Amino acid sequence: ARVERNVQLHTAFVVCNVRIPPLNDQRVRQAIAYAIDRERLVREVLGAQRATVARSLIPPGMPGHDEGAVLQSHNPARARAPLQQAGVGSNVRLELWQGGATATASPELLVLIQQDLKEIGLDVKIVTPSSADYERGQEMGTVPLRVERWVADYPDPDNFLYVTFHPSGNAYNLG
């Protein structure tokens, strides 16, 4: 028997709804980026043998992937400053939605994100709606935070970028 090891064309990411306060403030989103310990998520939930910390939306092995991209490292102390600058106190509550019956993130992953954000003073409630309520929430723009993933249909960077950022891309339309 032969075992092959391949890079899967898959990425996962936290989506912040920039139309919902306080997520509409770039400093709050920056604080969230500093607060989330990506290395721990990979190590404790995904498995270091099966996953690597993403440096960009485009996964390793594809044209356009930048292995040298600098990430905001996990730094809870540094995360607190942008929150203070944005006037966000410890009484802020956010919801982190899990995708109903078609959840893309494990409960363990969501709990670790919740813990990381609590460490910087953000009270995060994990919400697990029905699939219909989840889709309705996305359509209405009422989902504050969620974890999404994308697995490429074919090995082309455009298959990640178009669906995510182009206004007519139907997967996430974050652009």
Side-chain angles (χ1 to χ4, degrees):
R2 188 174 92 193
V3 176
E4 278 190 38
R5 188 174 185 176
N6 297 311
V7 174
Q8 184 182 26
L9 300 178
H10 166 266
T11 192
F13 46 93
V14 174
V15 177
C16 299
N17 186 335
V18 299
R19 293 178 181 95
I20 297 177
L23 299 170
N24 61 341
D25 190 316
Q26 178 184 355
R27 296 168 294 191
V28 174
R29 298 189 305 271
Q30 182 182 41
I32 290 171
Y34 279 123
I36 295 173
D37 187 347
R38 295 171 196 83
E39 297 286 344
R40 182 173 74 145
L41 297 178
V42 166
R43 185 177 61 250
E44 294 184 18
V45 178
L46 304 172
Q49 298 299 319
R50 296 180 24 221
T52 59
V53 174
R55 299 196 162 281
S56 72
L57 186 62
I58 301 171
M62 293 192 72
H65 174 76
D66 183 0
E67 192 59 42
V70 178
L71 296 174
Q72 289 181 320
S73 60
H74 174 63
N75 190 335
R78 191 166 182 190
R80 290 182 188 95
L83 285 179
Q84 288 175 336
Q85 292 166 2
V88 174
S90 60
N91 60 348
V92 171
R93 291 203 169 128
L94 294 171
E95 291 182 347
L96 175 59
W97 284 39
Q98 183 176 23
T102 59
T104 60
S106 71
E108 297 85 6
L109 185 84
L110 297 175
V111 167
L112 290 179
I113 291 171
Q114 180 185 45
Q115 290 171 358
D116 287 344
L117 297 180
K118 184 177 182 73
E119 187 176 352
I120 65 166
L122 296 175
D123 183 17
V124 175
K125 177 183 176 186
I126 297 170
V127 177
T128 309
S130 68
S131 294
D133 288 343
Y134 181 78
E135 289 191 26
R136 188 172 23 263
Q138 285 196 81
E139 289 170 11
M140 295 176 63
T142 59
V143 179
L145 290 169
R146 68 185 195 271
V147 175
E148 288 288 353
R149 69 183 171 105
W150 182 252
V151 180
D153 297 318
Y154 50 89
D156 188 315
D158 185 62
N159 192 238
F160 285 87
L161 300 173
Y162 180 85
V163 298
T164 306
F165 296 112
H166 194 275
S168 64
N170 60 0
Y172 307 112
N173 192 14
L174 302 177

